[in-house]
């Protein structure tokens, strides 16, 4: 009985913190329309900053609190509003989501950069030396009492602010109709600023209050937000009282699970995963409508030509061959990731690019693929590879079924929850048996991974494995291109453009969604297996939610609808990051922040980099002499390197230079030719037929039509 | 009399497509000017230019003798422009009372606004705590129009007040508009259906494809030309 009370009080005081963080989340969502995935990360930063000020530099607690809550948090909120959110005001849900995911990833990376994660840090509780209060059979520490008092104050304060003041009305009005807010003479930017300042402050309060109870770890603190998400979903992202209720449910659940869950090897993870499980369930149970707002029009999806894709696939294999012939064994392991990451990133193309379903658990699917291959293909049996794909695909279908009703932010949340459940619980399990089936994933640690055996020919050195992975990336890219051009591809795009329209047109929503989730999880699983082979051994941490964010962000930056995305992301994450990291620890830190920065740049170019790169290199593709010259020169470099005439970095630099120079030359030549042909008078209706279509033409035509 | 609001030779575009090719319109104090014309003529765009929600390419926006070209909507609102946009003049998720509270940014107190609004439209008092979006279309337009009534603007810009409403309701709303003009406010009304507004207008301008084609008193000649226009036999 006494225990029941004690755990109840612990639960309520945790609940109070979740309520504070969750209400900040609801506040920013209802008043700016942006669901902030980085909300918890902002609280994490605040906790670290507070630690730095008090424990690090020895400032008195009140002063540190004022600095963090009144100076740093508002400044951060304003900065985020100005730099991150204002540019995406006019963009769609997906872009907003990416921006805050980028912020989450970036803040975690930044915190790890500033505060070395290998050093243990802890914060004391408030009023640690004051005696606890006795209430009947239980005791309440002053820290616990404080959290509850703060939560109640926050609840009352927010209520008054939103429903009792003009700025509150202004904040709510700006979600309804920003333009109209401007017409009334109010300042729509100001209400957003107030919302971000308050939201960040609430996150900061929550972060500082919860930090003493957990270790000061960047990703762990950021992911405490999962509990606050759950609370916010209870409130359907709009009701503050229900958010508080949700917080109580989550807080108490966690606390009682700690107290009453039997101790064995299988269940501790369940406690850690419980908020995520609850989040998943509450997403399914609570009806939610999308926030009203003008949706931006969907961008067109390019349809790659078969010939072009074949060429591309050939180039991928050639690239793999050349790289494999040049690199030493150590580098092969490092850069081998290019192709396996490429395959994993490619899995976003059908799912997020074509079907518009944003999933944040693709790397977890890769983890399943890797684990299946590691066990079933322990002796390199080739049949284990399709098995890995099928099992990862099945896991994908498993998410799709409940996620059928979710879209946008809710789907992203659901897949986040799924990734966390895998991370914290399933992947940490030792081998277990279900229905007579012996299942082992990472055996609670590291598992060794073997290379495949191709009809008796065992691939086990790095160069062979690299080519093997390159071939798979080429095949997968081809398959996606074929898919895009076929009926299923068109169906997926129709589904993205309007689920309702798709259903009324007689499309089978259930089947298509499950199919695309399974397909993309299968591809990710393949990528995971290839990654495992390359690494020789894998652990669960390599496939965690946070580890997957950079891959997702870089894929978004590449352009989710482009088939070339696989190679782009692979080269960026698996190739260029190790190259930069080679320059030392500082550079390594930069690479961990890079995906986030790139993601934040998305607002400037929502179509992604791959289409841009492709159109930049089109002149080179058309100019056969220059292209031929480039190929010959690169081949020459390759031979020289093989003969050890040149050394690695020099070859790399020269090759890069040659490619860029050839591209510039081809573009310049083409422009010169275009300039010469301007004078020849081609009638308007033959533009684009008898002579090439030019950028200016569009404007000339528009003027003509409008003036007509 | 110098006009209160004047658009002088305004050109405006959406992207590369120019939709206003030199539009000039003016409104004096106490005057009701009707801006008429077929769909896509550029009427809404002209009002948006006047309210600062759409940029001009060239030309001027003069308010009370001052050149306000390029000013933002907020400053124009504070300088006395009140635009009630087409079909969405209220905040649907806010209660009627909060909608009225949102009218206090141009200098009037909440009490003053509520007094005027509830006196002119008693139904609003009954609905005070209901979300504005749950009221009927006519009630919503009353609430929207209350901003024009209660905030003493210099110029009221109305876009398709009649949209989706019964003729009787439209008639009553335009009675209120005439009343607003009598208090000295310059009113620029955009309407598809000319009959509703020509009864109270002092002056009418007919726009076709981004140009003012005809201007003058709303007499029978103008009406005849207008109906010819709508039937597509443009002169
Ligand atoms: N957001 C926009 N983007 C591109 N073109 C637009 C946009 N809004 C309006 N247009 C174009 O500008 C022109 C003028 O539009 P406007 O809305 O001003 O016409 P209107 O006279 O108000 O028409 P209606 O009577 O149908 O309301 C039209 O040709 C329209 O197609
Ligand atoms: Mg219009």
């Amino acid at each position: 009985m006494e225990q029941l009370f004690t755990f109840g009080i612990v639960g309520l005081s945790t609940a109070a913190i979740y309520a504070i963080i969750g209400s900040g989340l609801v506040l920013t969502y209802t008043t700016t329309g942006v669901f902030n995935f980085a909300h918890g990360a902002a609280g994490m930063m605040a906790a670290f900053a507070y630690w730095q000020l008090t424990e690090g530099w020895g400032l008195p607690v009140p002063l540190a609190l004022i600095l963090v809550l009144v100076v740093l948090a508002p400044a951060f909120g304003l900065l985020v509003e100005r730099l991150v959110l204002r540019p995406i005001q006019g963009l769609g849900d997906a872009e907003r989501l990416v921006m805050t995911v980028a912020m989450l990833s970036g803040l975690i990376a930044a915190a790890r950069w500033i505060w070395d994660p290998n050093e243990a840090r802890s914060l004391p509780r408030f009023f640690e030396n004051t005696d606890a209060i006795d209430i009947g059979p239980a005791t309440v520490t002053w820290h616990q009492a404080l959290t509850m008092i703060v939560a109640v104050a926050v609840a009352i304060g927010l209520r008054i602010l939103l429903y009792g003041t003009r700025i509150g009305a202004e904040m709510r009005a700006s979600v309804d109709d920003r333009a109209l807010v401007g017409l009334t003479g109010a300042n729509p930017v100001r209400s957003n600023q107030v919302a971000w300042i308050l939201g960040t402050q609430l996150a900061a309060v929550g972060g500082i209050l919860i930090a003493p109870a957990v270790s000061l770890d960047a990703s762990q603190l950021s992911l405490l937000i999962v509990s606050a998400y759950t609370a916010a979903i209870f409130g359907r992202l709009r009701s503050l009282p229900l958010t508080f209720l949700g917080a109580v449910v989550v807080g108490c659940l966690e606390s009682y699970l700690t107290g009453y869950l039997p101790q064995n090897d299988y269940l501790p993870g369940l406690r850690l995963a419980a908020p995520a499980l609850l989040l998943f369930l509450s997403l399914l149970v609570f009806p939610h409508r999308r926030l009203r707002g003008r949706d931006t029009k969907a961008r067109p999806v390019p349809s790659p030509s078969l010939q072009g894709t074949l060429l591309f696939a050939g180039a991928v294999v050639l690239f793999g061959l050349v790289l494999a012939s040049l690199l030493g064994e150590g580098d092969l392991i490092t850069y081998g990731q290019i192709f396996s990451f490429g395959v994993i990133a490619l899995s976003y193309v059908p799912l997020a690019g074509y079907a518009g379903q944003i999933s944040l658990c693709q790397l977890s699917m890769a983890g399943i693929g890797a684990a299946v291959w590691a066990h079933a293909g322990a002796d390199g049996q080739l049949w284990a590879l399709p098995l890995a794909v099928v099992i990862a695909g099945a896991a994908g279908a498993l998410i799709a079924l409940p996620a059928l009703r979710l879209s946008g932010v809710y789907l992203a949340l659901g897949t986040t929850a799924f990734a966390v459940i895998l991370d914290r619980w399933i992947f940490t399990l030792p081998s277990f048996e279900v229905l007579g089936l012996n299942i082992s994933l990472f055996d609670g640690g590291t598992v060794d991974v073997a290379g495949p055996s191709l009809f008796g020919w065992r691939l086990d050195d790095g160069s062979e494995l690299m080519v093997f992975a390159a071939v798979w990336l080429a095949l997968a890219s081809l398959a996606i291109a074929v898919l895009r051009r076929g009926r299923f591809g068109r169906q997926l795009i129709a589904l993205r453009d309007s689920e309702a329209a798709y259903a009324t047109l007689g499309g089978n929503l259930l089947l298509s969604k499950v199919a695309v989730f399974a397909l993309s999880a299968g591809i990710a699983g393949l990528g995971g297996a290839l990654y495992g082979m390359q690494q020789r051994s894998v652990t669960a941490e390599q496939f965690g939610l946070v580890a997957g964010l950079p891959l997702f962000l870089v894929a978004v930056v590449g352009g989710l609808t482009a088939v070339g995305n696989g190679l782009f992301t692979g080269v960026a994450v698996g190739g260029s990051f190790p190259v930069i990291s080679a320059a030392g620890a500082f550079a390594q830190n930069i690479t961990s922040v890079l995906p986030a920065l790139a993601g934040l740049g998305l607002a400037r170019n929502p179509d992604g980099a791959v289409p841009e790169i492709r159109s930049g290199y089109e002149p080179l593709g058309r100019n056969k002499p220059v292209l031929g010259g480039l190929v010959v020169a690169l081949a020459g470099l390759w031979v020289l390197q093989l003969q050890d005439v040149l050394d690695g970095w020099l070859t790399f630099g020269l090759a890069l230079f040659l490619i860029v120079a050839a591209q510039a030359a081809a573009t310049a030549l083409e422009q010169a030719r275009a300039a010469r042909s301007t004078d020849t008078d081609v009638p308007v209706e033959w533009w684009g037929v008898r002579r090439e279509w030019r950028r200016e033409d569009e404007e000339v035509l528009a003027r003509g039509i409008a003036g007509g | 009399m110098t006009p209160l609001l004047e658009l002088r030779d305004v050109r405006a575009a959406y992207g590369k497509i120019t939709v206003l090719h030199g539009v000039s319109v003016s409104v004096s104090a106490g005057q009701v000017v009707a801006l008429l014309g077929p769909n896509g003529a550029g009427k809404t765009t002209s009002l948006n230019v006047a309210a600062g929600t759409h940029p001009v390419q060239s030309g001027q926006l003069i308010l009370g003798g001052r050149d306000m070209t390029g000013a933002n909507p907020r400053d124009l609102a504070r300088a006395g422009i009140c635009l009630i946009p087409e079909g969405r003049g209220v905040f649907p998720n806010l209660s009627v009372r909060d909608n009225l509270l949102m009218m206090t940014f141009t200098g009037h107190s909440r009490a003053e606004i509520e007094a005027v609004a509830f006196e002119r439209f008693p139904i609003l008092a009954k609905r005070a705590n209901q979300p504005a979006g749950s009221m009927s279309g006519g009630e919503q337009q009353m609430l929207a129009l209350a901003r024009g009534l209660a905030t003493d603007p210099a110029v009221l810009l109305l876009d398709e007040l009649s949209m989706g409403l019964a003729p009787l309701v439209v008639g009553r709303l335009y009675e209120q508009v005439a009343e607003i003009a009598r208090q000295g406010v310059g009113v620029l009304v955009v309407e598809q259906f000319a009959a509703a507004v020509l009864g109270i207008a002092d002056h009418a301008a007919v726009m076709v494809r981004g140009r003012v084609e005809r201007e003058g008193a709303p007499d029978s000649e103008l009406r005849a030309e207008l109906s010819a226009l709508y039937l597509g036999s443009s002169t």
Side-chain angles (χ1 to χ4, degrees):
Chain A
M1 189 62 194
E2 205 182 299
Q3 219 193 354
L4 195 70
F5 269 109
T6 310
F7 283 116
I9 283 167
V10 172
L12 281 180
S13 92
T14 330
I17 298 171
Y18 293 159
I20 295 167
I21 303 179
S23 55
L25 197 63
V26 171
L27 179 76
T28 42
Y29 186 63
T30 51
T31 58
T32 65
V34 175
F35 184 89
N36 186 6
F37 269 82
H39 190 68
M44 174 273 293
M45 282 306 257
F48 271 100
Y50 176 73
W51 178 91
Q52 186 64 56
L53 292 176
T54 53
E55 304 291 306
W57 294 334
L59 256 55
V61 168
L63 184 62
L65 278 178
I66 289 174
L67 276 177
V68 173
L69 297 180
V70 185
V71 180
L72 292 179
F76 183 77
L78 281 178
L79 203 70
V80 168
E81 194 278 332
R82 180 70 198 87
L83 295 182
V84 181
L85 293 143
R86 225 179 286 171
I88 49 169
Q89 203 73 21
L91 298 180
D93 275 357
E95 284 85 3
R96 294 178 182 190
L97 201 113
V98 170
M99 292 300 255
T100 62
V101 170
M103 228 157 58
L104 167 63
S105 166
L107 288 177
I108 292 178
R112 285 184 178 156
W113 185 352
I114 303 172
W115 293 282
D116 179 8
N118 297 318
E119 189 184 314
R121 293 179 186 81
S122 65
L123 276 172
R125 285 161 216 273
F126 288 93
F127 308 111
E128 206 159 37
N129 304 321
T130 316
D131 284 339
I133 319 155
D134 283 314
I135 309 177
T139 55
V140 184
T141 67
W142 274 98
H143 184 89
Q144 288 168 336
L146 180 71
T147 59
M148 294 183 222
I149 293 168
V150 171
V152 171
V154 163
I156 296 173
L158 281 181
R159 174 83 207 173
I160 293 176
L161 173 79
L162 282 177
Y163 293 92
T165 67
R166 192 171 74 165
I167 182 80
E170 202 180 328
M171 285 160 80
R172 286 180 295 132
S174 69
V175 187
D176 266 11
D177 194 332
R178 276 179 73 79
L180 189 56
V181 170
L183 290 175
T184 62
N187 180 355
V189 172
R190 186 183 60 173
S191 64
N192 271 6
Q193 288 172 332
V194 173
W196 280 102
I197 290 177
L198 277 175
T200 313
Q201 282 176 321
L202 290 174
V205 171
I208 292 173
L209 284 175
I210 204 157
V214 295
S215 67
L216 220 51
D217 171 80
S219 66
Q220 210 191 335
L221 269 176
S222 303
L223 291 183
L224 278 177
I225 188 69
V226 169
S227 309
Y229 288 158
T230 314
I233 291 294
F234 262 74
R236 296 168 199 187
L237 293 184
R238 49 182 62 240
S239 156
L240 289 172
L242 285 176
T243 301
F244 273 69
L245 179 70
V248 171
V249 172
V250 186
C252 290
L253 181 82
E254 278 180 40
S255 169
Y256 285 120
L257 281 179
T258 312
Y260 293 99
L261 215 57
Q263 294 297 321
N264 63 24
D265 285 346
Y266 303 97
L267 292 177
L270 175 61
R271 198 201 73 75
L272 294 175
L277 267 170
L278 204 60
L279 172 60
F280 202 69
L281 289 179
S282 57
L283 277 168
L284 300 181
V285 171
F286 292 111
H288 34 253
R289 54 197 169 112
R290 284 155 61 95
L291 206 67
R292 222 180 58 93
R294 288 168 296 272
D295 238 352
T296 44
K297 51 181 185 281
R299 263 175 275 285
V301 178
S303 182
S305 74
L306 223 44
Q307 198 194 359
T309 317
L310 272 169
L311 256 171
F312 173 74
V316 169
V317 176
L318 192 69
F319 180 48
L321 279 168
V322 170
L323 217 52
S325 70
L326 296 180
L327 296 176
E329 191 63 17
D331 284 342
L332 279 168
I333 292 186
T334 310
Y335 295 104
Q337 299 174 0
I338 290 180
F339 302 99
S340 47
F341 277 163
V343 174
I344 300 173
L346 200 61
S347 76
Y348 282 112
V349 172
L351 186 63
Y354 298 168
Q357 312 284 317
I358 291 195
S359 155
L360 295 178
C361 64
Q362 291 307 98
L363 194 63
S364 313
M365 298 296 116
I368 292 176
V372 171
W373 169 259
H375 292 286
D379 299 313
Q381 302 89 328
L382 209 54
W383 55 263
L385 201 57
L387 184 71
V389 172
V390 167
I391 292 184
L398 198 71
I399 321 168
L401 281 175
L404 192 64
R405 300 172 45 214
L406 307 177
S407 61
V409 166
Y410 297 98
L411 181 64
L413 274 175
T415 50
T416 301
F418 199 79
V420 172
I421 295 168
L422 290 178
D423 270 13
R424 294 203 184 152
W425 186 28
I426 309 290
F427 283 176
T428 63
L429 291 175
S431 307
F432 58 100
E433 230 171 74
V434 183
L435 305 172
L437 222 63
N438 187 27
I439 297 181
S440 39
L441 287 157
F442 296 96
D443 302 335
T446 307
V447 285
D448 291 329
V449 189
S453 142
L454 286 184
F455 313 106
W457 174 31
R458 192 63 187 265
L459 304 184
D460 48 13
D461 70 53
S463 55
E464 289 164 352
L465 287 169
M466 178 178 266
V467 175
F468 186 69
V471 169
W472 278 111
L473 177 59
L475 288 177
S477 301
L478 257 179
I480 299 288
V482 171
L483 173 108
R484 165 66 186 92
R485 299 173 56 84
R487 191 178 138 79
F488 187 51
R490 289 197 301 274
Q491 279 179 344
L492 291 181
I493 291 162
L495 188 147
R496 176 195 76 166
D497 289 347
S498 165
E499 284 190 9
Y502 181 69
T504 50
L505 287 173
N508 187 335
L509 207 59
L510 175 75
L511 212 63
S512 312
K513 269 202 180 181
V514 171
V516 70
F517 265 95
L519 173 77
S520 95
I523 298 174
L526 173 68
L530 295 171
Y531 176 72
M533 295 172 195
Q534 211 95 44
Q535 298 296 304
R536 308 293 155 86
S537 71
V538 287
T539 64
E541 287 85 64
Q542 287 167 309
F543 301 100
L545 170 71
V546 175
L549 295 180
L551 206 59
F552 169 69
L553 291 171
V554 174
V556 172
V557 171
L560 287 175
T561 54
V563 169
N565 194 350
L567 184 67
F568 175 85
T569 310
V571 169
V573 177
S576 69
F577 289 1
V579 167
I580 301 173
S581 299
F586 179 78
Q588 194 173 356
N589 277 321
I590 290 189
T591 62
S592 60
V593 197
L594 218 50
L597 289 181
L600 293 178
L602 174 75
R604 260 163 223 100
N605 185 11
D607 276 330
V610 173
E612 199 167 300
I613 295 174
R614 190 172 48 219
S615 67
Y617 276 85
E618 262 167 12
L620 180 60
R622 280 191 290 264
N623 194 329
K624 296 292 179 295
V626 176
L627 186 63
L630 175 65
V631 170
V632 170
L634 287 178
L637 273 184
W638 179 56
V639 172
L640 287 179
Q641 167 77 27
L642 279 186
Q643 304 297 322
D644 283 330
V645 179
L646 295 172
D647 93 302
W649 288 107
L650 184 59
T651 318
F652 176 71
L654 280 174
L656 213 60
F657 171 76
L658 280 174
I659 293 171
V660 171
Q663 187 258 347
T667 311
L669 282 174
E670 193 160 302
Q671 269 163 3
R673 190 154 1 107
R676 272 199 305 280
S677 65
T678 332
D679 334 310
T680 52
D681 243 340
V682 181
V684 176
E685 58 272 32
W686 288 98
W687 288 0
V689 183
R690 284 200 189 153
R691 69 158 175 74
E692 264 168 60
W693 181 259
R694 289 196 295 263
R695 248 163 217 234
E696 317 85 75
D697 293 350
E698 205 174 306
E699 192 170 340
V700 175
L701 281 188
R703 285 233 185 85
I705 293 166
Chain B
M1 186 166 53
T2 56
L4 263 180
L5 170 76
E6 214 186 331
L7 296 186
R8 272 192 207 152
D9 200 23
V10 165
R11 293 175 156 270
Y14 288 98
K16 287 169 192 151
I17 317 250
T18 304
V19 297
L20 298 185
H21 306 273
V23 169
S24 299
V25 184
S26 64
V27 188
S28 306
Q31 198 185 24
V32 177
V33 177
L35 191 57
L36 309 168
N39 288 116
K43 306 180 298 291
T44 299
T45 311
S46 302
L47 289 194
N48 285 336
V49 164
T53 48
H54 192 93
V56 296
Q57 282 183 320
S58 67
Q60 285 170 299
L61 165 65
I62 316 275
L63 182 62
R66 263 179 48 194
D67 188 348
M68 299 282 282
T69 318
N72 68 28
R74 188 166 137 244
D75 292 338
L76 283 167
R78 297 191 171 187
I81 293 267
C82 173
L83 167 65
I84 297 181
E86 191 173 0
R88 43 176 199 87
V90 302
F91 299 104
N93 290 313
L94 264 56
S95 68
V96 169
R97 187 160 270 138
D98 284 343
N99 264 281
L100 294 173
L101 181 62
M102 289 297 290
M103 298 175 190
T104 58
F105 290 98
T106 39
H108 291 262
S109 75
R110 180 178 206 162
E112 286 168 330
I113 302 268
E114 286 191 358
V116 176
F118 292 160
E119 190 224 327
R120 290 303 177 84
F121 303 111
I123 185 80
L124 293 183
K126 283 195 209 128
R127 304 261 188 270
N129 294 316
Q130 193 174 320
S134 68
M135 298 196 300
S136 77
E139 288 163 355
Q140 290 190 33
Q141 289 294 41
M142 287 178 200
L143 179 56
L145 203 52
R147 184 152 62 89
L149 270 169
T151 61
D152 282 333
V155 182
L156 178 62
L157 308 172
L158 292 172
D159 198 356
E160 313 248 356
L161 202 55
S162 67
M163 209 165 71
L165 300 182
L168 197 68
V169 179
V170 176
R172 262 194 250 132
L173 287 173
Y174 275 116
E175 277 168 28
Q176 293 294 336
V177 173
E179 174 63 30
I180 294 174
R182 273 195 288 280
Q183 294 170 359
V185 177
V187 184
L188 182 58
V189 192
V190 162
E191 261 304 339
Q192 270 290 325
F193 302 102
V197 70
L198 285 182
I200 61 159
D202 305 304
H203 189 84
V206 180
M207 278 186 80
V208 182
R209 273 187 258 124
R211 293 190 170 84
V212 177
E213 293 278 326
R214 170 86 160 74
E215 248 190 300
D219 49 18
S220 53
E221 194 189 332
L222 186 129
R223 282 174 207 232
E225 271 180 44
L226 204 58
S227 49
L229 250 177
Y230 280 120
L231 293 173
S233 53
S234 116
T235 42

